[in-house]
Amino acid sequence: NTDQVAVAIVIDNSGSMVDTDPLNVRFSASQMVLEIMGESDFLSITTFGNEAVNLLPMTELIGDQFQAAKASLATIPVPSGYTDYHKALALAEANLATLPDQN
């Protein structure tokens, strides 16, 4: 399907987010992205502080997977650590590399 998209969302969840985004707008924005995605699109969600963590590995949004993606954004992890975006971007790249069709 040439109309499919793949999105790798990377969310800063380092300790500085306590002060710079106390209302967790970054997670609300991620939910908005999810809402405009179509069935059979692909999505991964990664947070990072000291370490990068997949809240959702690259997943095709079909059937129950859309609800699983919503659930992964429902519980916001406590911000902590420093900002190691290199690990986060490497994990996002690895998520994208799992797609069945690189086109």
Side-chain angles (χ1 to χ4, degrees):
N1 184 347
T2 59
D3 293 335
Q4 288 176 297
V5 297
V7 176
I9 296 176
V10 179
I11 304 171
D12 186 347
N13 206 45
S14 62
S16 65
M17 293 294 107
V18 170
D19 295 323
T20 58
D21 186 19
L23 299 177
N24 297 310
V25 174
R26 64 200 185 282
F27 285 90
S28 299
S30 298
Q31 289 172 346
M32 293 168 85
V33 170
L34 174 60
E35 292 296 329
I36 63 171
M37 295 185 71
E39 185 163 317
S40 78
D41 286 342
F42 289 85
L43 176 69
S44 69
I45 304 168
T46 301
T47 62
F48 67 98
N50 289 352
E51 298 296 325
V53 176
N54 271 334
L55 295 183
L56 181 74
M58 190 57 72
T59 301
E60 188 173 8
L61 299 176
I62 55 174
D64 293 340
Q65 296 306 317
F66 185 84
Q67 290 304 320
K70 284 183 83 166
S72 72
L73 289 167
T75 304
I76 299 170
V78 176
S80 65
Y82 58 89
T83 307
D84 191 345
Y85 63 88
H86 293 285
K87 288 180 183 175
L89 295 177
L91 185 52
E93 184 176 26
N95 285 330
L96 288 167
T98 67
L99 291 168
D101 180 358
Q102 297 300 310
N103 294 321

